[in-house]
């Protein structure tokens, strides 16, 4: 296993794999209400079997080269994660996403972790377009997209039902030339 430092505060990015199911479920349980405000992740992992199945689905995606899942650990505790929900190296497109429990908010962990993912995707895998989708009400997620230098492509109005209400989804994106230009600026 590997760990990538996310800075001087001891935070690390590591693969989040099926054998982490108990630790992952404990993390989701700590942050269930907060995490579940905008994304269905908390609904998918209600028990150990659900947590293990979710982690296995991403292990399968990694094996098929169609997605990736990484945990964010702070002081040895899993506090969130980042992922490529979709990943298509042939087409050069990927969709990144994140989640974080409330106790870890405000430290830039997601922004730092997604930078690592985008660097790898653009420089190592030749991904041309990275997308970021966020519920219009999810200001924290939209702010991550802005900090990463993404461009707001538009809004998918009432694109999906969540908790009995149709949600608008903002689509943000970043192109490889833009990412490379930011790195040299």
């Amino acid at each position: 296993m590997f760990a990538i430092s996310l800075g001087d505060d001891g935070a690390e990015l590591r693969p989040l794999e099926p054998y982490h199911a108990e630790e992952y479920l404990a993390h989701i349980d700590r942050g269930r209400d907060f995490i579940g405000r905008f994304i269905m992740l908390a609904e998918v992992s209600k028990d150990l079997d659900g947590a293990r199945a979710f982690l296995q689905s991403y292990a399968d995606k990694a094996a098929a080269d169609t997605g990736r899942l990484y945990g964010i650990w702070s002081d040895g505790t899993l506090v969130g994660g980042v992922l490529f929900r979709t990943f298509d190296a042939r087409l050069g497109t990927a969709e990144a996403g994140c989640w974080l429990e409330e106790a870890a908010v405000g430290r830039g962990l997601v922004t730092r972790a997604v930078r690592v993912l985008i660097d790898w995707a653009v420089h190592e895998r030749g991904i041309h377009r990275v997308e970021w989708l966020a519920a219009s009400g999810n200001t924290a997620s939209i702010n991550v997209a802005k900090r990463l230098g993404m461009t707001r492509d538009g809004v998918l109005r009432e694109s999906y039902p969540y908790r009995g209400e149709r949600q608008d989804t903002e689509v943000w994106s970043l192109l490889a030339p833009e990412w490379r230009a930011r790195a040299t600026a």
Side-chain angles (χ1 to χ4, degrees):
M1 181 180 77
F2 68 86
I4 297 171
S5 173
L6 293 176
D8 295 337
D9 60 0
E12 294 180 325
L13 185 66
R14 305 181 204 162
L16 187 53
E17 299 179 359
Y19 75 88
H20 292 115
E22 288 182 20
E23 183 178 14
Y24 170 73
L25 180 60
H27 152 64
I28 291 295
D29 285 344
R30 284 191 308 273
R32 187 170 301 282
D33 291 338
F34 185 77
I35 293 167
R37 292 176 310 143
F38 297 106
I39 61 173
M40 294 184 227
L41 186 62
E43 301 296 318
V44 175
S45 301
K46 290 186 173 186
D47 56 26
L48 190 55
D49 287 339
R52 189 172 288 113
F54 174 74
L55 297 177
Q56 184 62 54
S57 74
Y58 273 89
D60 294 344
K61 282 184 173 195
D65 199 27
T66 60
R68 300 283 188 285
L69 180 65
Y70 300 93
I72 300 171
W73 275 262
S74 180
D75 298 321
T77 301
L78 179 63
V79 296
V82 294
L83 56 98
F84 281 120
R85 197 184 70 74
T86 63
F87 190 90
D88 189 328
R90 186 180 60 77
L91 293 178
T93 61
E95 179 195 330
C98 70
W99 75 92
L100 199 62
E101 64 183 69
E102 191 170 17
V105 168
R107 296 173 31 207
L109 295 172
V110 167
T111 302
R112 289 184 273 160
V114 175
R115 278 189 185 119
V116 171
L117 263 61
I118 293 172
D119 271 343
W120 173 79
V122 168
H123 297 294
E124 298 294 324
R125 298 304 310 280
I127 294 296
H128 179 74
R129 177 184 168 89
V130 177
E131 292 184 346
W132 186 266
L133 278 61
S136 291
N138 192 345
T139 306
S141 185
I142 291 167
N143 287 338
V144 169
K146 289 176 182 177
R147 282 191 296 275
L148 292 168
M150 293 186 167
T151 298
R152 184 176 183 250
D153 293 339
V155 177
L156 303 173
R157 298 178 311 136
E158 298 185 7
S159 63
Y160 70 98
Y162 186 59
R163 295 185 173 176
E165 234 177 273
R166 303 269 336 159
Q167 303 293 313
D168 291 348
T169 301
E170 294 199 15
V171 179
W172 292 75
S173 69
L174 167 58
L175 303 179
E178 298 165 342
W179 187 253
R180 288 186 194 102
R182 285 178 56 103
T184 59

